[in-house]
Amino acid sequence: MSNLYTLNIEQVVNGIKNGEFTSEEYVSQIIERIKKVDKKINSFITINDNALVQARQIDKKIRSGWTVDSLAGIVVGVKDNISTAGLKTTCASKMLSDYVPPYDATVIKRLKDKGAIIIGKLNLDEFAMGSTTEWSSYGLTRNPWNLDYVCGGSSGGSAASVAAQLCTASLGSDTGGSVRCPSSFCSVVGFKPTYGLVSRYGLVSYSNSLEQIGSIGRTVSDVKKIMEVISGKDTNDNTTIDTKNNNINNNHYDLEQNNNQKIGLLKELINGADEPVYQCIYSAIDKFNEFGFTSEESSLKSSEYALASYYTIATAEASSNLARFDNIRYGFELNPDDYEWNTYFSKARGNFGDEVKRRIIVGSFVLSSGYYGKYYLKAQRVKDLIKIELKNLFKEYDLLLSPTVPVLPFKIGEKIDDPLKMYLIDINTVLANLAGIPAISIPIGFKNGLPIGLQIMADEFQEKKLLDIAEVLEKSININTSYPDL
Ligand code: GLN
C-alpha cells in the first residue's frame, strides 16, 4: 500500500491489526517521507533510529496473537523539550545540545505503553520561548503551506510535521499558546488541556504554573485519542488531578440532548483581528448557528491586561527555572577550574540565545526587591481577575470563541527584531493559560493560501464537551481534505 502517511490514528491501528499493512511498512514510509520532505521545512531535530526496531516488535507481537493496544503502531513526534529516555532532548538550545535524558516523561511512558512509536524530536523556539520557531539553535521551521512564511510557535515542529504528514500526531507544550498558535498557522488541530489534566513530569519547565502538554493532530478525533492516553493523575506531578469523573474518557457528550449550547463571542478578541481573520471567524460562527446553537457578543474586560500579566509571570518563572542551567550537571565541555568564577558563569550561560537571555533579564527584574509588588504581584492579581471574569462568563456561556491568532501567518524575519510585535501574537491564547482552562484551535479556512484557526475555550475540566463540539464543527467546515504539496 502506498501513501500510508496520510492515514489517521484509527486507520493506522486498524490497518496494522487487520493485516492490511505491517507496522514496519508504515514506519518505513514515514521515515522515507521525512527524509524527502523535512529538508524543506526543518521540523525534526532528531530522528529515532530505533523506530523501525520497535515497529518490527509490534509486528511480531501481532503475529503471536497479541490484543492490539489502542495506539499500536502510530507514530508520534515529540516537541524537543519533553524528556525521552535514550533520545536527545535539546530544547533547541546549545545549552543542552548533547543531553540524553535517563528517563521518559510520563506522557511518553503512557504513549509507549499503548503501543505508540516515538518517531523523533521536533523543533521549537529555544526552551519554548517564542511564537514563530525562528528562535531555535537548529535553524527555523518553515510553514508547510508556504515556505517563505513562519509556521507559528513555539511548538512549530510539532504542528508543521503533522501538517506535512511526517507523523500521525504530535505532542507540544503550551505555556501561552505554543500548541494552538502553530496549529492555527499550519492548519491542524491543537489542544491545550485544563491545568492539572496532564502530567508535566519530564517536561523541561519554562513557566510551570501556566504550562500543559497538549496534542496536535490532523483531526479532532486524533487529538482526543492522544489526550485519552496521556491525561490523568501522576504521582510524579503533584499538580495533576484524578480525572475519573470528568475527563474525556467518559461517553460522548450528548449533543442531541444539548443542542441549545450558548456561545459567547469574545468581542475584544474578535474585533482586534485582521480583516481576513475576522471574516473567516464570522463564517464559522454561522455554522454554529446552523446546529441550533445560539451565539452572541460577550465581553472580557480584563483581557486588555492579559498579555502584560502573562509576560510578567512567564518571565519571572523562566528566570528561576532556567537558573539550573549552569553547565555543571549537564552541558558542554567547559572546566570550572580553568576560569575565574564569574567568567565561568558568563561563558556557560552565554550559550543561551538572545530571546532566552531577554526573558531571564526581564524575569529577574520583575522579581527583584522593590519591584516585586509593582510587577509580579500585580500580574498575579490580574491573573486572578481574569480567572474570575471567565468563571462568570462560563455561568452564562458553554463555550467562548475567538480567533486563535489575530493575524495571518507572516513572512519569516518580519517580526523577529521586534519582541513586542512578536509578543502581541499571543494576545488571544494567553487567557486560557492564565485561567488554567482548556482551549482548542481548529482550522477554519485560508486566505491567500495561508491558514486561519478558530479558538474555542471551555470552563475547566469541560474537555469532553469542548472536544465533541469542536468535532461537530470540524466536520461541518470540512476544510481538512487537502494537505500541503511538498
Ligand atoms: N509565545 C509565548 C511565549 O513566548 C508562548 C510560548 C509557549 O506557549 N511555550 O512565551
Side-chain angles (χ1 to χ4, degrees):
M1 263 175 102
S2 62
N3 296 357
L4 294 177
Y5 54 80
T6 59
L7 303 180
N8 64 30
I9 293 184
E10 196 179 0
Q11 290 164 332
V12 173
V13 176
N14 286 340
I16 294 174
K17 182 160 77 180
N18 301 334
E20 289 158 36
F21 50 89
T22 62
S23 176
E24 181 175 356
E25 276 165 338
Y26 179 62
V27 173
S28 304
Q29 280 196 25
I30 294 268
I31 292 176
E32 232 165 82
R33 187 166 166 82
I34 294 173
K35 284 193 183 139
K36 184 174 144 234
V37 167
D38 205 44
K39 285 198 245 357
K40 299 182 193 167
I41 60 169
N42 190 37
S43 61
F44 277 81
I45 292 181
T46 306
I47 294 174
N48 180 9
D49 294 331
N50 259 325
L52 267 176
V53 176
Q54 285 162 16
R56 283 183 206 120
Q57 280 163 358
I58 289 179
D59 290 332
K60 198 168 153 198
K61 277 163 87 180
I62 288 179
R63 281 197 302 272
S64 62
W66 174 56
T67 344
V68 175
D69 281 328
S70 65
L71 299 181
I74 72 154
V75 155
V76 179
V78 177
K79 188 176 184 178
D80 209 19
N81 62 348
I82 300 173
S83 303
T84 41
L87 197 58
K88 231 171 34 171
T89 299
T90 67
C91 294
S93 179
K94 284 191 197 144
M95 221 25 142
L96 294 174
S97 56
D98 50 16
Y99 170 58
V100 179
Y103 71 103
D104 274 329
T106 299
V107 288
I108 301 295
K109 189 178 174 306
R110 288 185 177 170
L111 286 173
K112 284 184 176 171
D113 285 350
K114 292 289 176 203
I117 296 172
I118 306 302
I119 190 70
K121 303 302 291 289
L122 300 165
N123 205 7
L124 64 152
D125 289 292
E126 186 176 0
F127 284 102
M129 298 175 191
S131 311
T132 56
T133 318
E134 291 171 289
W135 286 119
S136 163
S137 317
Y138 293 83
L140 55 89
T141 298
R142 293 174 184 274
N143 192 315
W145 295 95
N146 185 330
L147 301 177
D148 295 330
Y149 284 72
V150 298
C151 64
S154 66
S155 314
S158 305
S161 59
V162 169
Q165 300 175 310
L166 307 182
C167 49
T168 334
S170 69
L171 294 182
S173 65
D174 192 309
T175 314
S178 276
V179 160
R180 290 160 286 153
C181 159
S183 297
S184 169
F185 277 11
C186 294
S187 196
V188 290
V189 179
F191 177 64
K192 179 205 93 77
T194 303
Y195 188 84
L197 191 75
V198 176
S199 167
R200 285 174 296 105
Y201 180 67
L203 168 69
V204 179
S205 289
Y206 153 24
S207 177
N208 45 291
S209 76
L210 300 171
E211 61 210 2
Q212 277 288 284
I213 293 173
S215 62
I216 297 178
R218 290 186 289 271
T219 61
V220 176
S221 158
D222 280 1
V223 161
K224 262 188 190 171
K225 291 196 168 75
I226 299 285
M227 293 311 302
E228 276 166 9
V229 169
I230 64 173
S231 54
K233 181 84 189 152
D234 175 19
T235 48
N236 284 322
D237 175 356
N238 286 332
T239 62
T240 52
I241 49 104
D242 197 345
T243 52
K244 269 192 213 91
N245 297 322
N246 50 13
N247 81 353
I248 40 187
N249 306 343
N250 293 343
N251 302 330
H252 231 54
Y253 185 77
D254 195 347
L255 277 176
E256 295 283 302
Q257 281 185 18
N258 291 288
N259 66 352
N260 54 349
Q261 301 290 322
K262 223 175 143 197
I263 319 270
L265 312 173
L266 289 174
K267 68 171 183 206
E268 289 86 355
L269 278 53
I270 297 176
N271 297 343
D274 283 359
E275 187 60 24
V277 177
Y278 178 93
Q279 297 275 341
C280 200
I281 293 292
Y282 270 100
S283 36
I285 290 164
D286 288 343
K287 298 276 180 195
F288 265 109
N289 297 341
E290 281 168 27
F291 289 109
F293 300 172
T294 51
S295 60
E296 65 184 33
E297 253 192 13
S298 59
S299 171
L300 184 71
K301 294 199 183 57
S302 52
S303 62
E304 79 175 283
Y305 307 111
L307 205 60
S309 162
Y310 168 79
Y311 272 95
T312 306
I313 297 169
T315 54
E317 290 184 12
S319 73
S320 141
N321 278 321
L322 268 58
R324 75 191 62 161
F325 298 105
D326 51 13
N327 202 43
I328 287 174
R329 273 155 298 182
Y330 26 67
F332 34 87
E333 298 242 338
L334 192 66
N335 187 352
D337 299 335
D338 295 345
Y339 300 92
E340 178 266 324
W341 184 255
N342 281 333
T343 317
Y344 171 79
F345 273 104
S346 59
K347 259 197 176 319
R349 291 180 56 84
N351 273 290
F352 283 130
D354 287 351
E355 183 57 28
V356 174
K357 283 184 196 155
R358 183 167 20 243
R359 307 274 178 122
I360 293 173
I361 293 168
V362 173
S364 308
F365 174 73
V366 299
L367 288 176
S368 57
S369 118
Y371 292 101
Y372 179 87
K374 200 167 163 198
Y375 297 115
Y376 183 73
L377 212 60
K378 212 171 189 178
Q380 288 289 358
R381 291 212 180 104
V382 170
K383 182 181 184 225
D384 288 345
L385 195 70
I386 288 171
K387 210 176 160 112
I388 293 166
E389 222 188 308
L390 276 165
K391 199 82 200 157
N392 284 334
L393 277 178
F394 285 122
K395 283 186 192 142
E396 218 177 313
Y397 301 104
D398 295 284
L399 301 169
L400 294 173
L401 292 197
S402 77
T404 307
V405 185
V407 294
L408 288 170
F410 43 89
K411 282 229 163 107
I412 287 167
E414 202 177 300
K415 296 190 200 275
I416 191 94
D417 294 325
D418 188 336
L420 288 182
K421 265 197 197 146
M422 189 71 102
Y423 299 165
L424 272 172
I425 297 168
D426 309 325
I427 192 151
N428 297 351
T429 47
V430 295
L431 288 169
N433 303 80
L434 290 166
I437 59 174
I440 193 167
S441 177
I442 61 167
I444 49 163
F446 285 85
K447 177 77 185 180
N448 302 333
L450 297 166
I452 298 172
L454 171 77
Q455 173 172 248
I456 317 174
M457 294 187 272
D459 201 0
E460 52 186 1
F461 300 113
Q462 297 296 312
E463 353 278 306
K464 192 153 54 100
K465 176 164 82 178
L466 175 60
L467 290 165
D468 285 349
I469 292 178
E471 204 169 0
V472 170
L473 189 64
E474 169 191 56
K475 291 209 172 97
S476 72
I477 293 177
N478 198 24
I479 64 154
N480 251 346
T481 42
S482 72
Y483 282 97
D485 188 19
L486 286 160

